[in-house]
Amino acid sequence: QVQFVESGGCLVQAGESLRLSCEAEGIPFGYNAMGWYRQAPGKQRELVATIRLNGATNYADSVKGRFSISRHKSRNTVWLQMNSLKPEDTAVYYCYVNIYQRGVWGQGTQVTVSL
């Protein structure tokens, strides 16, 4: 079973920064991609940022220029640096791993951005 250790979510004010961390245990070295999704109340889960095994990154249009994903050389830990946070960034953020073309999500960590 894949196990995730997600941390970093908290309450911040608009304009501040936050850094999320995710360590995934029990994944193969050659996974397809790792990253973050988020889900706000009443909305479907959406992609925030991913990084592929080869280092290529992908970001949602709403976070481009503000968020940055990075990876430890062990390739089982990723960070999401979130700058210039907005109230609309409020959501539960889920760590994500794509393994053998199947997505697996963690329990999630709450990020709340106040005015």
Side-chain angles (χ1 to χ4, degrees):
Q1 295 288 333
V2 177
Q3 293 186 325
F4 297 91
V5 180
E6 301 161 284
S7 64
C10 67
L11 172 65
V12 298
Q13 292 183 320
E16 295 183 339
S17 298
L18 199 60
R19 188 179 183 89
L20 303 182
S21 176
C22 174
E23 181 178 357
E25 183 176 317
I27 61 174
F29 181 81
Y31 63 84
N32 292 326
M34 193 169 177
W36 296 89
Y37 280 64
R38 69 184 181 187
Q39 186 172 27
K43 297 183 178 180
Q44 65 181 21
R45 186 179 297 174
E46 64 176 355
L47 181 146
V48 178
T50 60
I51 182 167
R52 299 187 64 84
L53 186 63
N54 64 6
T57 57
N58 184 37
Y59 296 93
D61 289 340
S62 60
V63 307
K64 287 182 178 178
R66 299 189 298 120
F67 291 10
S68 179
I69 188 169
S70 59
R71 179 183 64 201
H72 190 268
K73 66 179 181 179
S74 68
R75 301 185 181 183
N76 74 330
T77 300
V78 294
W79 299 274
L80 183 67
Q81 179 66 43
M82 304 184 292
N83 298 324
S84 302
L85 283 164
K86 305 174 181 179
E88 50 263 44
D89 294 318
T90 296
V92 177
Y93 285 70
Y94 297 90
C95 189
Y96 163 84
V97 179
N98 186 279
I99 307 172
Y100 308 126
Q101 299 182 329
R102 177 178 296 179
V104 182
W105 287 265
Q107 184 176 350
T109 182
Q110 177 71 48
V111 173
T112 302
V113 184
S114 64
L115 293 172

